[in-house]
Amino acid sequence: MEEQVDGNFLLAQCLKDQGVEYVFGIVGFPVIELGIAMQQVGLHYVGMRNEQSACYAAQAMGYLTQKPSVCLVVSGPGLLHVLGGMANAQVNCWPLLVIGGSCSLDHEGIGGFQECPQVDLCRPYCKYSARPPTASLIPQHVEKAFRLSTYGRPGVCYLDFSSNILAGQIPKSSVINVTKCPLPPVIYPNPNDIRSAVRQLMKAKRPLVITGKGAAYGRAENEVRSLLSRTGLPFLPTPMGKGVMPDTHPQSVASARSLALQMADTILLLGARLNWMLHFGKPPRFSSDVFIIQVEICAEELHNSVTSGVGIQADIKTTLDELTKELGEWKYNSQSEWWKQLTANKNNNKETVLKMAMDTSVPLNYYAVFHNLQELLPKDCIIVSEGANTMDIGRGMLLNDYPRHRLDAGTFGTMGVGPGFAIAAALWCRDNAPNKKVICVEGDSAFGFSGMEIETMFRYNLGIIIVIVNNNGIYSGFDEDSWKDIRENGHATLVNPPLSLSVNTHYENMAKLIDQGKGFFCKTIPEMQTAVRLAMEIKNQPTIINVMINPSAGRKPQTFAWLTESKL
């Protein structure tokens, strides 16, 4: 009798053959046997507590490794829960494969268990969404999904598998065999575009280089560092472009961000998009006549929002190599009026921030917490961060000297990503840098989205340090006396303001879900310093440090509103 193979094993083996290493998910009907098959073929299956967190972890692993991991979910509600994570990965341009089980084909249309139009629902959040019609075509669809998730602009692909396809047996000889997907092709820049870009950079009076997440994903840090060190150009990182050049580098003008953007006459944009995070490249945040040199892998992104002076569709590493060669020995004048303006603005802003950081009176402010946390963090730690003020202020205070060492809410501004991202980062460290620390810095509101993943961290022995900056609310909360007055003045559902959360919530007690778990409640800088030092010594299990701050603490005064206002 001819050898048979079932859909579960075939799918698992195809994923392994294409180079998938990690699967994050929650199993249930009809993917329980698929999860087991994945482990049997040597894939690392990580069981999470929520589908969204599983999706966040899978996409972060994709960002860190340049190849998709899998998010495995059950039918119906399981798939619906993961759509937020899929949208986040698609907007962030991170590779991800989502695999969903679905009801048996003969149950469709008559009220099957968790019946749901899953392929159609996923299409808006994917580059490719499909259901293989037969088990014999599984290899073809897996290869295509893997390829589309990594080629061009990375993104999400969804594959749907009915229960009868997964459980069914087919002759091994009927399987359509495919080869392993090759690495994405390298696109070289047009030489004329390189020459045009170089001419503009050489004549610019107020140049600026912006390093984006695409430069980090593209592993272009060596090329960026070579270009900037040779030319002496000022640079500004986007949030997840931090570390492509060290934040501590003297050419960084992050602390003069508003001035740099507003006054630059020429901007070299490396793997960043002119979306809301860069104020669309428009006035008043940018000069009305700024000349933008845009380096982008995706042709459709060129000239989006503004018309770039030079649009280069190419691989970022090859483009930087060509720019550096063409620039030769040219170096920007370090004594220029532009550098003097930037330096004065940097120093002024740093002085303002330092004054706030030195104020360690209780209740604490954000700047004091982050300044003293930064003093204790290893320079090579991976920082995961989410929240409103927690993330935004932390971007400037918590420094990264290495690329891909910051993970945050990103382009889609998604809350709840922190624990999933931290789990992926810790697993990546386990494989690649066992002594590296993962620090997950959360606002109290943000932590509430996915806090139960603390159990996942314990289960997989992950030594993640979670620091919760707790202001009793969303953006802001209330102090104990104000909260008491509110609670005593009427029915809680009528008087609790929408931004408020409970006062002095002891999130650190969640670390005690497991025997010997450690959590710390801190109100002063010395208490936080002690907690951080102790947490650094703890290995193979998570720690929660819950730091209380002033509920009304905020940012330093801003030159502009954080979000460019619509003109409609």
Side-chain angles (χ1 to χ4, degrees):
M1 183 176 176
E2 187 174 354
E3 186 177 358
Q4 304 282 304
V5 62
D6 70 24
N8 287 308
F9 184 83
L10 178 59
L11 174 54
Q13 188 61 55
C14 287
L15 292 167
K16 178 75 172 178
D17 292 344
Q18 289 301 328
V20 171
E21 296 182 46
Y22 275 93
V23 180
F24 300 85
I26 299 177
V27 296
F29 179 83
V31 297
I32 297 173
E33 290 78 11
L34 175 57
I36 295 171
M38 288 172 164
Q39 289 185 320
Q40 288 174 336
V41 302
L43 298 175
H44 300 291
Y45 176 82
V46 181
M48 305 286 285
R49 299 304 302 265
N50 178 279
E51 287 91 353
Q52 280 194 14
S53 289
C55 196
Y56 299 144
Q59 64 192 255
M61 187 65 81
Y63 172 67
L64 293 170
T65 63
Q66 277 189 313
K67 62 183 178 182
S69 291
V70 167
C71 177
L72 177 63
V73 297
V74 301
S75 53
L79 187 278
L80 289 171
H81 289 168
V82 89
L83 291 179
M86 293 171 69
N88 188 72
Q90 185 71 356
V91 174
N92 253 3
C93 310
W94 288 356
L96 170 69
L97 294 183
V98 177
I99 291 176
S102 58
C103 74
S104 179
L105 295 175
D106 56 318
H107 290 174
E108 286 189 342
I110 57 174
F113 175 67
Q114 295 184 334
E115 181 183 350
C116 184
Q118 297 174 187
V119 175
D120 291 335
L121 285 170
C122 289
R123 281 201 175 102
Y125 314 109
C126 286
K127 296 178 72 175
Y128 179 62
S129 180
R131 172 194 283 175
T134 66
S136 62
L137 291 173
I138 287 175
Q140 177 180 306
H141 283 271
V142 168
E143 187 278 336
K144 183 172 184 178
F146 192 98
R147 174 163 39 89
L148 292 186
S149 74
T150 53
Y151 277 37
R153 172 177 284 174
V156 185
C157 290
Y158 173 70
L159 292 178
D160 190 82
F161 294 93
S162 63
S163 58
N164 49 334
I165 291 288
L166 289 173
Q169 299 261 340
I170 61 168
K172 209 168 186 179
S173 62
S174 70
V175 175
I176 306 297
N177 292 314
V178 298
T179 58
K180 182 177 180 179
C181 174
L183 292 173
V186 176
I187 303 174
Y188 283 82
N190 184 323
N192 290 331
D193 291 338
I194 294 294
R195 286 190 285 271
S196 296
V198 167
R199 283 196 298 270
Q200 179 62 32
L201 284 170
M202 284 180 165
K203 70 179 184 181
K205 294 182 178 179
R206 297 183 302 280
L208 177 67
V209 177
I210 298 178
T211 57
K213 183 172 64 229
Y217 178 82
R219 306 300 194 269
E221 54 270 16
N222 290 336
E223 290 77 8
V224 170
R225 294 179 182 199
S226 176
L227 174 73
L228 291 175
S229 63
R230 286 178 60 177
T231 61
L233 290 165
F235 75 91
L236 174 70
T238 64
M240 274 190 278
K242 284 160 60 68
V244 172
M245 277 288 284
D247 281 342
T248 52
H249 197 282
Q251 287 169 235
S252 171
V253 294
S255 53
R257 185 180 191 271
S258 293
L259 177 70
L261 293 179
Q262 191 179 28
M263 298 298 294
D265 63 8
T266 299
I267 290 176
L268 175 59
L269 193 66
L270 300 175
R273 290 170 284 174
L274 293 174
N275 53 23
W276 69 272
M277 296 185 83
L278 284 175
H279 316 288
F280 315 108
K282 296 182 176 181
R285 299 302 293 265
F286 287 72
S287 172
S288 59
D289 59 354
V290 63
F291 190 103
I292 294 176
I293 303 164
Q294 189 177 12
V295 181
E296 172 63 50
I297 194 67
C298 177
E300 290 81 359
E301 188 64 35
L302 296 173
H303 313 296
N304 191 29
S305 182
V306 300
T307 300
S308 297
V310 179
I312 304 174
Q313 188 212 356
D315 173 76
I316 193 166
K317 294 177 72 171
T318 59
T319 300
L320 285 162
D321 280 340
E322 294 303 312
L323 285 171
T324 303
K325 289 176 187 175
E326 191 71 21
L327 283 163
E329 298 302 315
W330 176 83
K331 195 173 184 70
Y332 182 65
N333 181 10
S334 62
Q335 303 301 314
S336 68
E337 189 62 32
W338 179 226
W339 259 124
K340 291 176 183 176
Q341 286 180 277
L342 291 170
T343 301
N345 193 255
K346 282 171 58 176
N347 292 339
N348 183 61
N349 287 335
K350 285 181 178 179
E351 185 177 337
T352 301
V353 167
L354 186 60
K355 286 179 181 177
M356 300 175 75
M358 292 296 102
D359 177 9
T360 58
S361 59
V362 176
L364 298 169
N365 69 72
Y366 285 102
Y367 295 88
V369 170
F370 289 138
H371 173 77
N372 287 279
L373 179 60
Q374 172 66 34
E375 293 287 302
L376 297 172
L377 293 183
K379 286 189 175 182
D380 68 341
C381 69
I382 294 179
I383 299 172
V384 180
S385 184
E386 64 169 329
N389 290 333
T390 297
M391 180 178 66
D392 293 340
I393 298 172
R395 282 170 174 162
M397 300 292 294
L398 301 177
L399 306 180
N400 298 97
D401 282 355
Y402 299 92
R404 297 170 297 281
H405 279 54
R406 180 181 175 87
L407 301 167
D408 69 21
T411 312
F412 208 40
T414 307
M415 292 297 102
V417 298
F421 282 5
I423 287 168
L427 290 168
W428 181 88
C429 290
R430 180 177 290 177
D431 295 341
N432 298 279
N435 294 321
K436 192 180 293 289
K437 290 288 186 180
V438 176
I439 316 296
C440 185
V441 184
E442 301 272 303
D444 52 326
S445 172
F447 180 71
F449 283 81
S450 305
M452 202 59 220
E453 297 301 338
I454 188 76
E455 187 276 329
T456 308
M457 298 174 191
F458 273 112
R459 191 163 14 107
Y460 288 95
N461 303 319
L462 302 177
I464 297 165
I465 299 173
I466 299 173
V467 179
I468 300 172
V469 184
N470 189 346
N471 69 348
N472 301 333
I474 305 168
Y475 298 107
S476 62
F478 291 94
D479 60 30
E480 199 162 1
D481 290 339
S482 299
W483 179 252
K484 184 178 179 181
D485 290 342
I486 289 170
R487 301 286 289 183
E488 290 177 351
N489 281 338
H491 195 282
T493 58
L494 297 178
V495 299
N496 281 1
L499 293 177
S500 65
L501 298 173
S502 297
V503 170
N504 295 339
T505 302
H506 284 262
Y507 298 105
E508 77 283 354
N509 286 337
M510 292 181 68
K512 299 173 185 177
L513 290 171
I514 305 296
D515 288 344
Q516 310 305 316
K518 298 292 184 182
F520 304 90
F521 185 77
C522 308
K523 288 187 174 183
T524 69
I525 291 301
E527 289 173 348
M528 186 191 76
Q529 291 170 326
T530 298
V532 171
R533 290 189 181 101
L534 290 171
M536 289 289 180
E537 300 300 318
I538 297 173
K539 301 183 185 299
N540 302 323
Q541 70 177 43
T543 310
I544 298 178
I545 302 171
N546 185 15
V547 184
M548 302 305 304
I549 67 168
N550 189 334
S552 60
R555 314 181 198 192
K556 74 176 183 69
Q558 304 292 305
T559 305
F560 291 96
W562 70 275
L563 183 64
T564 300
E565 297 296 328
S566 171
K567 293 179 175 57
L568 295 179

